[in-house]
Amino acid sequence: MLQHHTPSSCYSCPICGSSLQSKLSANSYNCQNNHHFDLAKEGYLNLLPAQHKRSVEPGDNKPMMQARREFLEAGYYEPLAKAVASLINANQAEHLLDLGCGEGYYSRHIEAHCASKLILHGLDIAKFAVRAAAQKQPKANFIVASVNRLPYADQYFDFLLKIFAPSNPLELLRVLKPSGLLLTVTPGPRHLWQLKEFIYSEVHEHLLTHDLPHGFELVDRQRISYTISPNPQQRVALLQMTPFAWRANENVQLALKAAIELSIETDFIVTLAVKTAP
Ligand SMILES: C[S@@+](CC[C@H](N)C(=O)[O-])C[C@H]1O[C@@H](n2cnc3c(N)ncnc32)[C@H](O)[C@@H]1O
Ligand SMILES: [Zn+2]
């Protein structure tokens, strides 16, 4: 079944920048210059033209996406997902964009726990991830695109979500309404400490930078930390989700699997900021 992509012109053409209009009967979008984009059968839209790609398969690859889905669906980050959903509800978001949405775990959680009037959009540069997200959540609007060139109309969103994902500050400002909100989740100082101990001979606290992008002011900051005890296979999946996975050779993976009862600290910094620029 194809998803309910918003028929209005929230999208802009990634080639010429003019507004994209949907032809619902044909399940495709066109701009006035006849650039044309079809909805994939899973219901997502690919708005990343080949000339904007730096590699053939940018972003997370399929094994990384599958590792993330396996680990997240086991529920280990549910306290974070709950905190995110309650901030979205408390602020009565209407048009929300999940930047670097990955395989859609947080978007699904938000749909299940937030007000039904919320219109959810998700974007990632990795096609595998977007396809997987769209398959599981037909009501949300997923696209393949880069955070550096957001193919949305100016000031379309009132809420942006950025969970362990990159962004481009100017693009964040452009697509957000005046007084719109930006919710960011970044690793806290002790995030995954015990996992890192398997890789680094000396583990250092992750340095916190409290800088907000230009044009934003702080509304609220929370630190969420607790310990998790994933099973051996889930520990390896967790490792594959991290930016330091590439440092872990086969011996590290074996040691990680062999450890008995490993408790791992999570540490998340959840920052809510408001757009103050006009
Ligand atoms: C660490 S993952 C986080 C995924 C998801 N937010 C989560 O927490 O499960 C970072 C995501 O950003 C995506 N990504 C990396 N560079 C990107 C870019 N330039 N534009 C859009 N997404 C990008 C990756 O493909 C990946 O899915
Ligand atoms: Zn165009």
Side-chain angles (χ1 to χ4, degrees):
M1 190 188 76
L2 288 172
Q3 72 197 94
H4 309 286
H5 256 266
T6 326
S8 67
S9 54
C10 68
Y11 297 118
S12 54
C13 174
I15 297 169
C16 69
S18 61
S19 170
L20 281 182
Q21 303 296 333
S22 77
K23 290 187 175 170
L24 275 184
S25 55
N27 291 315
S28 72
Y29 283 75
N30 272 63
C31 74
Q32 60 188 18
N33 296 318
N34 255 336
H35 300 123
H36 170 112
F37 304 89
D38 287 333
L39 273 182
K41 71 174 188 311
E42 296 85 358
Y44 68 89
L45 201 53
N46 188 342
L47 296 182
L48 185 68
Q51 62 268 36
H52 293 171
K53 287 188 189 179
R54 294 223 182 110
S55 63
V56 182
E57 274 178 18
D60 282 11
N61 60 30
K62 201 170 184 181
M64 285 160 88
M65 184 280 287
Q66 281 166 338
R68 172 166 290 115
R69 175 164 277 182
E70 178 187 331
F71 177 83
L72 291 173
E73 291 214 326
Y76 291 111
Y77 284 6
E78 200 177 323
L80 170 64
K82 278 191 174 156
V84 166
S86 73
L87 280 167
I88 292 167
N89 270 330
N91 287 287
Q92 300 175 357
E94 288 183 9
H95 291 91
L96 178 144
L97 174 62
D98 183 359
L99 292 141
C101 62
E103 60 72 53
Y105 170 74
Y106 296 99
S107 287
R108 290 193 293 283
H109 189 94
I110 292 163
E111 184 174 293
H113 293 91
C114 290
S116 55
K117 66 168 187 180
L118 180 67
I119 298 174
L120 259 167
H121 289 256
L123 160 150
D124 202 285
I125 204 165
K127 194 158 77 174
F128 286 123
V130 171
R131 182 185 294 149
Q135 267 170 342
K136 279 221 171 189
Q137 200 179 0
K139 279 200 213 150
N141 305 277
F142 289 104
I143 66 166
V144 181
S146 169
V147 293
N148 292 314
R149 292 167 188 258
L150 297 175
Y152 298 100
D154 294 357
Q155 305 194 352
Y156 174 69
F157 295 102
D158 53 53
F159 205 105
L160 301 177
L161 183 61
K162 185 171 107 66
I163 305 184
F164 290 104
S167 69
N168 172 316
L170 289 176
E171 282 291 82
L172 296 179
L173 274 183
R174 183 183 64 77
V175 300
L176 198 54
K177 289 191 166 88
S179 306
L181 295 168
L182 169 66
L183 181 56
T184 309
V185 178
T186 47
R190 293 194 59 86
H191 191 51
L192 306 183
W193 188 269
Q194 293 74 11
L195 196 65
K196 287 182 172 171
E197 283 180 332
F198 279 81
I199 298 172
Y200 302 103
S201 49
E202 221 179 301
V203 183
H204 297 285
E205 289 211 343
H206 189 93
L207 277 183
L208 282 186
T209 52
H210 282 322
D211 299 345
L212 292 171
H214 171 74
F216 287 90
E217 262 175 30
L218 183 67
V219 176
D220 179 47
R221 181 168 279 134
Q222 305 175 20
R223 184 170 178 187
I224 299 175
S225 44
Y226 55 94
T227 59
I228 57 174
S229 303
N231 70 28
Q233 197 185 331
Q234 291 162 341
R235 293 171 199 159
V236 175
L238 175 59
L239 173 69
Q240 281 166 348
M241 286 168 55
T242 67
F244 43 85
W246 64 275
R247 285 175 163 270
N249 56 29
E250 210 175 317
N251 288 341
V252 169
Q253 294 208 12
L254 287 175
L256 197 56
K257 278 188 183 163
I260 299 163
E261 294 232 359
L262 181 63
S263 289
I264 302 174
E265 287 171 72
T266 66
D267 190 0
F268 307 103
I269 307 292
V270 180
T271 304
L272 187 66
V274 62
K275 173 175 165 178
T276 49

